[in-house]
Amino acid sequence: MPTSDAFVELAGQRVVLRTFVPADLTDQYINWLNDPQTMRWSNQRFRHHDRASCELFLAHFAQGPSHFLSIRESLTGFALGTATAYVSLPHGTADVGILLGERSFWGLGYGQDAWNTLLEWLSAQPKIRKITAGTLACNKPMVRLIEKSGMQLEGTRRSQEIVEGNEEDILLYARFRRDTA
Ligand SMILES: CC(C)(COP(=O)(O)OP(=O)(O)OC[C@H]1O[C@@H](n2cnc3c(N)ncnc32)[C@H](O)[C@@H]1OP(=O)(O)O)[C@@H](O)C(=O)NCCC(=O)NCCS
């Protein structure tokens, strides 16, 4: 398993995922994080992001085994979003997340391609035995995307968060490497 200082580049069908580097910290990226519609189902909506907060976030990945990746359209190299994989080597787990920041690209299959590509790569890492992900139950695109990647529901945190005035469940999913080998 490479540490995050080893540059990662993964090719999907329509996207490329590669290690997020300081040059990727653009106004476009910061605008994604401050877009209320994009962040509707993320706890990032409670914060304001700027260059300094993003630099701090990026710095978390400078050491250690976790990954922060830039998702780009394969054909153009255009930045579409980001993905994270928080790796615990003692436990052999990776918790994954995704943000497709460019809303005009939603619903076109880019998120699924990026997600599947990241999961396939993580599944091939000998030190990762279990991949996990969580989402609000009301985030229907995310639920669909996770379930299509073969992850199984392993738990529900009932009425865990308040979203737009409603109590919402958090769904916890997992996929074991042994099930995909
Ligand atoms: C969630 C997200 C990654 C999905 O990416 P995407 O590229 O729009 O999704 P895809 O086009 O790959 O679609 C994946 C599946 O979700 C379905 N889907 C997409 N939008 C949907 C919607 N509004 N309602 C229901 N299903 C939807 C698609 O139809 C597809 O399933 P299908 O192949 O059976 O048709 C993207 O919308 C996003 O980044 N949202 C904001 C950030 C976020 O919520 N991240 C997750 C936090 S846990």
Side-chain angles (χ1 to χ4, degrees):
M1 182 80 190
T3 58
S4 59
D5 51 358
F7 192 84
V8 169
E9 184 156 325
L10 311 172
Q13 292 175 350
R14 311 164 66 183
V15 297
V16 170
L17 291 85
R18 62 156 176 74
T19 297
F20 192 103
V21 296
D24 296 324
L25 212 170
T26 58
D27 289 344
Q28 176 200 25
Y29 169 68
I30 297 169
N31 288 340
W32 296 339
L33 301 178
N34 290 322
D35 181 334
Q37 196 173 334
T38 304
M39 290 301 151
R40 183 179 173 195
W41 292 310
S42 165
N43 283 319
Q44 298 303 322
R45 68 187 183 278
F46 301 123
R47 305 187 45 187
H48 179 79
H49 293 271
D50 56 23
R51 186 162 293 275
S53 66
C54 293
E55 280 170 355
L56 268 181
F57 180 73
L58 181 55
H60 289 313
F61 296 87
Q63 302 290 329
S66 297
H67 298 279
F68 181 35
L69 303 171
S70 172
I71 303 171
R72 298 188 165 254
E73 190 179 29
S74 306
L75 281 178
T76 60
F78 183 65
L80 301 178
T82 58
T84 47
Y86 290 96
V87 173
S88 166
L89 290 176
H91 296 300
T93 56
D95 191 60
V96 289
I98 186 167
L99 161 66
L100 208 72
E102 282 301 313
R103 280 199 268 116
S104 58
F105 284 77
W106 282 5
L108 300 174
Y110 286 96
Q112 188 79 58
D113 186 27
W115 187 262
N116 293 349
T117 302
L118 179 55
L119 260 61
E120 286 321 301
W121 180 72
L122 288 168
S123 298
Q125 304 304 311
K127 292 182 180 168
I128 300 294
R129 59 179 188 89
K130 182 180 184 184
I131 303 170
T132 61
T135 182
L136 281 162
C138 58
N139 190 344
K140 298 298 180 205
M142 195 59 196
V143 170
R144 180 84 185 122
L145 178 152
I146 289 174
E147 292 185 346
K148 277 184 72 185
S149 70
M151 298 183 104
Q152 304 291 321
L153 185 67
E154 64 171 11
T156 300
R157 303 195 74 184
R158 295 179 55 220
S159 298
Q160 178 67 18
E161 295 192 356
I162 305 288
V163 181
E164 295 161 5
N166 301 312
E167 294 183 2
E168 298 287 350
D169 294 348
I170 297 272
L171 306 179
L172 304 171
Y173 288 88
R175 194 173 94 174
F176 287 89
R177 187 154 57 103
R178 60 176 178 259
D179 295 334
T180 55

